[in-house]
Amino acid sequence: MSLHFDSAAGTFTIHTANTTYQMKVDEYGYLLHLYYGARTEGCMDYLVTYADRSGMCASPHDVADRTYSLDVLPQEYAFQGAGDMRNPLLVVRDAEGTFGCDLRYVRHEIRDGKYGLPGFPAVYSESADDDAQSLSVVLADKRTGLEVELLYGVLPKLDIVTRAAIIRNTGSKKFVLKRAQTACLDMVHGDFDVITFDGRHAMERRPSRRAVTHGSFSVGSRRGMSSNQYNPVMILTDRDTTETAGRAWSMSFVYSGGFLAEVEKDQYEQVRMQMGLSDEQFSYPLEPGEQFVVPEVIMTYSGAGLEKISHNLHRCIRKHVCRGPWRDRPRPILLNSWEAAYFDFTGDSLCRLADKAAELGLDMLVMDDGWFGNRCDDLRALGDWTVNEEKLGGSLKQLVDYVNAEGLKFGIWVEPEMVSEDSDLYRAHPDWALAIPGKDPALGRDQLVLDMSRADVRENIFEQLCAVLDQANIEYLKWDYNRSIVDVYSRFATDQGKVLYDYIAGLYELLERLVERYPNLLIEGCSAGGGRFDVGMLYYTPQIWTSDNTDAHDRMTIQYGTSFGYPCSAVGAHVSACPNEINGREVPLSARGLVAMAGGGFGYELDLVELPERAWEIITHQIETYREIEHLVREGLYYRLSSPKKDPVCAWEFAAEDGSEAIVCAVVIEVEGYGVADYVVPRGLTPGAMYREVNSDKVYPADALMDMGVPLPISSAPYMSRMYRFERIG
Ligand code: DGJ
């Protein structure tokens, strides 16, 4: 059993294959965090120290012991109101407007299986073989009737511990949640770095690592979306932790809206890491009898460096977050019309693209933005999800039938949460857009955000989407979202502080309805590229368009950063034209293909018809290769062999879990002087075994490969690229 309560010691212990997590209900009923680290037995309450630290560290009134203060003790669910002055997870205001609560242990329950969260995405387990278990610990504030049910889930084989909470009002008066975060991890000592994944539109999720010093460091999003700027993944490490050695702890938020991730070093050199909902424009009233779901955080620990953190998260997200038949299937290799034609296409030009795509061996044509209403540019028509048959020169069904007859699937783009002022939907329902009465709303890409907290708005959009999807054999949907929320006002909200949270709850409800009605539909998430690349979206969309930046050079950095928290199966990656639209860079087609092949959502996004014959040959070959390796991209272990920002060669690897095969990919970024050989050193092969290079007669000893590596062809020009495919012999 992975979860255990020791009633004599008051400890809850969670064991996974390689880790142990422990907390304790102390004699006053407070829930203290004791330990999260390498697997161990026993009681770790000896780690907690007590000393009279002066009146500056308050003690609860019923504790006649000046060495006892929540301001110092490691907390499991830090709350404001009983003396802990560090960053709280929970801040509550009662009916009289007073802040403060005092949460103490009431009861707990341990059960088999993984808990779910009503209305919100959460890690799931569908097989008893996972040995998943759940723990619920209820804390209560007797003055207000506030109850917090802390939920812990464990996937022991994957070293995954999840946390979430449900806050209930069991009292007789309303109270207001001013801050409701999910999880903190208190470390009683240590010298740490914190790694976050920062960027901007078209340059998302670059890892940045910095020392944890006194005070508080935070990243987050107040944009109503998880954002292109900061990603809801945070990793705490020892100062000397590397890719393959040292301790690391991570948190990933299973939520697609605003978030806050913080790390604080306190007066006694202790460190608190925490994650949860953003508290900006947040103020959530709970009437008696109401409850509030605090979304999930996935936690994992590694004693073997950052690579192990990623492997744990990849395994968890691939099989315990992503759902539906596409979770385990090869994804269609697609041609997307966006960078091929932007808004400038007709039914005929799409058919020509489909002809060429079929000839080269692709699986699907995706009609991106521009097919509906009078959408000839990005100034109009969002919200009017009716097919522009004039532009297509016929019905959607005729187009899809043609594409299907070519042997290709058909996919379509939508941006359902948005509305243009120049649209029939907006003219009919101006109040459906988020806008503050008396204030002109801010525009983003000339569009407004629909109020997804409203059921009538969601119903309209759902019906419009179904009407399109039911017209023809549409097997893929790209779900885009291209601006952040500025004007937070919903016409019927009882408190405007509820809107951002209710918006995301509404979005999840809409996506869930769609997934239920179209279980075979492959949905790819997108938000101006990677603005909502988060675990919450992956519950509904098993792949996400990673970035609008399709330049292979920049993509190596973006995909490298993305890989820390997310599996490559989720990465949408396309080969686009050169020079690149965004930065004008020229990278050979071979390297562009190799970089895009590191994504489970592989495809092309350029005018295939206009390419020279040699390019068609290369593309045909890339597609054949991808089909042979895609199972490793989707299910294999991913290794970051070097860093695209620090090393002259960017190299990565996918290896089968059992070591039977591996692909090692490398792109030379910097060429210096003349004649220097670069070596790539793989990992994850079977020690002592011999490996054969596929399509070659070369044989290599695994130990030598993993020690000295393999030389790349000596290159005199940047972007020389190479894929080695190794198969274990015998
Ligand atoms: C932003 C997306 O990231 C692009 O791929 C494309 O779909 C455009 N929107 C279309 O407007």
Side-chain angles (χ1 to χ4, degrees), residues 127-242:
S127 157
D129 292 345
D130 297 333
D131 297 330
Q133 284 198 299
S134 298
L135 162 69
S136 135
V137 182
V138 176
L139 311 176
D141 175 43
K142 66 173 189 263
R143 186 178 71 89
T144 54
L146 161 75
E147 255 190 28
V148 181
E149 181 181 6
L150 300 179
L151 294 166
Y152 295 80
V154 53
L155 295 177
K157 293 177 182 164
L158 305 189
D159 289 334
I160 291 289
V161 174
T162 68
R163 294 191 52 184
I166 298 185
I167 299 177
R168 298 192 177 88
N169 184 345
T170 67
S172 56
K173 289 181 181 173
K174 158 178 128 171
F175 55 74
V176 180
L177 305 175
K178 302 299 291 179
R179 178 185 265 225
Q181 295 203 308
T182 308
C184 60
L185 179 61
D186 278 5
M187 312 288 275
V188 286
H189 73 102
D191 200 6
F192 299 112
D193 280 352
V194 60
I195 305 175
T196 55
F197 300 90
D198 317 333
R200 57 178 182 273
H201 175 229
M203 207 62 223
E204 293 88 351
R205 291 175 299 284
R206 291 167 306 175
S208 51
R209 179 171 179 160
R210 46 188 94 61
V212 175
T213 51
H214 284 107
S216 193
F217 167 81
S218 70
V219 295
S221 161
R222 53 176 71 95
R223 295 167 187 271
M225 60 200 280
S226 48
S227 91
N228 310 70
Q229 287 73 16
Y230 299 103
N231 193 266
V233 170
M234 184 181 253
I235 307 178
L236 190 71
T237 69
D238 282 324
R239 299 298 308 277
D240 56 358
T241 293
T242 64

Side-chain angles (χ1 to χ4, degrees), residues 612-629:
E613 204 165 328
R614 176 69 191 128
W616 292 335
E617 283 166 23
I618 295 173
I619 290 174
T620 308
H621 178 66
Q622 286 174 345
I623 289 168
E624 284 164 9
T625 306
Y626 189 72
R627 289 199 197 289
E628 288 169 14
I629 62 150

Side-chain angles (χ1 to χ4, degrees), residues 338 368-369 375 413 445 478 480 482 526 528-529 545 548:
W338 182 243
D368 209 282
D369 198 351
R375 180 86 167 168
W413 175 96
R445 210 194 187 198
K478 180 174 171 188
D480 206 347
N482 282 305
C526 177
W545 182 228
D548 274 348

Side-chain angles (χ1 to χ4, degrees), residues 258-444:
F259 74 96
L260 182 64
E262 280 180 288
V263 60
E264 177 181 13
K265 187 169 203 168
D266 74 12
Q267 54 185 333
Y268 296 109
E269 317 297 324
Q270 308 184 109
V271 168
R272 170 171 297 167
M273 173 196 197
Q274 68 191 76
M275 186 174 273
L277 295 169
S278 166
D279 54 4
E280 290 200 33
Q281 302 192 69
F282 177 81
S283 170
Y284 210 101
L286 279 190
E287 298 290 343
E290 287 185 341
Q291 69 172 34
F292 180 91
V293 174
V294 188
E296 183 162 88
V297 163
I298 301 173
M299 298 174 71
T300 191
Y301 165 80
S302 159
L306 295 163
E307 177 176 283
K308 180 83 170 83
I309 289 278
S310 299
H311 287 174
N312 296 349
L313 291 173
H314 293 182
R315 289 186 180 113
C316 173
I317 294 169
R318 275 195 312 237
K319 298 285 183 194
H320 300 276
V321 173
C322 295
R323 299 179 296 168
W326 289 105
R327 186 189 76 174
D328 304 319
R329 270 191 212 155
R331 313 278 170 73
I333 300 174
L334 62 85
L335 172 63
N336 182 294
S337 68
W338 182 243
E339 286 193 39
Y342 296 100
F343 294 103
D344 189 15
F345 60 81
T346 62
D348 259 0
S349 69
L350 290 176
C351 290
R352 300 297 72 79
L353 282 176
D355 296 342
K356 188 46 87 182
E359 192 186 313
L360 300 182
L362 281 86
D363 300 316
M364 182 161 77
L365 176 75
V366 175
M367 179 169 67
D368 209 282
D369 198 351
W371 57 267
F372 52 94
N374 63 343
R375 180 86 167 168
C376 53
D377 54 27
D378 63 7
L379 299 174
R380 67 202 83 234
L382 291 171
D384 296 344
W385 301 107
T386 47
V387 179
N388 184 341
E389 296 194 344
E390 203 183 314
K391 180 168 181 174
L392 296 188
S395 68
L396 182 60
K397 180 162 171 33
Q398 283 170 320
L399 174 63
V400 177
D401 286 350
Y402 179 91
V403 172
N404 285 171
E406 292 279 309
L408 296 181
K409 297 179 189 303
F410 187 88
I412 201 166
W413 175 96
V414 286
E415 195 178 358
E417 299 157 72
M418 298 289 163
V419 66
S420 308
E421 285 182 310
D422 182 2
S423 69
D424 292 340
L425 187 76
Y426 186 73
R427 281 182 281 273
H429 301 285
D431 64 302
W432 284 12
L434 293 171
I436 298 171
K439 170 185 181 293
D440 289 334
L443 295 172

Side-chain angles (χ1 to χ4, degrees), residues 28 50-55 57-59 63-69:
Y28 306 110
Y50 297 86
D52 186 346
R53 284 153 168 135
S54 90
C57 291
S59 311
V63 179
D65 175 357
R66 284 169 52 165
T67 71
Y68 189 98
S69 172

